[in-house]
Amino acid sequence: MGLLDSVLGALAGGQGGAQGGDSSQAAMLNAVIGMLASGGQGQGGGGGGLGDLIGKFTQSGMGDVIGSWVGTGQNAPISGDQLSNVLGSDAIGKIAAQLGLSHGDTADQLSQVLPQAVDRLTPNGRVPDEGLGGIGDILAQLSKR
């Protein structure tokens, strides 16, 4: 399933040793999990971190995009620029600093990983009422399939 699978594969030990790419992939996965974990970033609300993320997309006029990721159909694409507008320059900048990438490269990579992650975490086409759980729960759900 693309970049998310390669990130998860590297973390599962598929590529021996902690090479530079592995650490940046781990940092990308940590950033995505941080956005999606219940109580991760934001003020809480239905679904925890994912609920907050859905709220940001809706407020930015892109609710249909994240809705397609949650739903069971085809995931709508999002560009790095659109994702930067939704998440905000500060949020992308913090992740970019963690990854050691430019703002644009970070947004572009997130635009590939985030739809896949949301899709995998909502296999029944809806946000779980109890939220996604903690980091361990999310990592286990992402590793399925």
Side-chain angles (χ1 to χ4, degrees):
M1 207 183 229
L3 187 56
L4 181 61
D5 283 332
S6 68
V7 170
L8 291 169
L11 293 177
Q15 304 177 342
Q19 300 164 342
D22 292 347
S23 63
S24 71
Q25 289 177 335
M28 174 63 74
L29 187 58
N30 284 336
V32 169
I33 289 172
M35 278 190 267
L36 299 174
S38 296
Q41 294 177 320
Q43 293 80 42
L50 180 55
D52 292 342
L53 187 64
I54 291 170
K56 287 181 183 181
F57 271 78
T58 301
Q59 290 173 352
S60 298
M62 300 199 65
D64 58 330
V65 173
I66 198 164
S68 75
W69 305 348
V70 172
T72 57
Q74 185 75 19
N75 289 341
I78 188 168
S79 71
D81 289 339
Q82 290 171 315
L83 191 56
S84 291
N85 289 335
V86 170
L87 297 179
S89 192
D90 288 345
I92 297 292
K94 287 178 186 176
I95 296 168
Q98 291 172 352
L99 297 175
L101 296 173
S102 71
H103 188 278
D105 287 344
T106 300
D108 288 343
Q109 284 190 25
L110 275 174
S111 74
Q112 298 300 309
V113 173
L114 193 57
Q116 295 174 38
V118 171
D119 184 54
R120 284 191 181 189
L121 293 169
T122 56
N124 298 321
R126 63 178 190 79
V127 177
D129 293 334
E130 67 280 358
L132 296 175
I135 292 171
D137 295 332
I138 291 175
L139 190 54
Q141 288 175 293
L142 288 174
S143 297
K144 291 180 183 175
R145 274 199 205 171

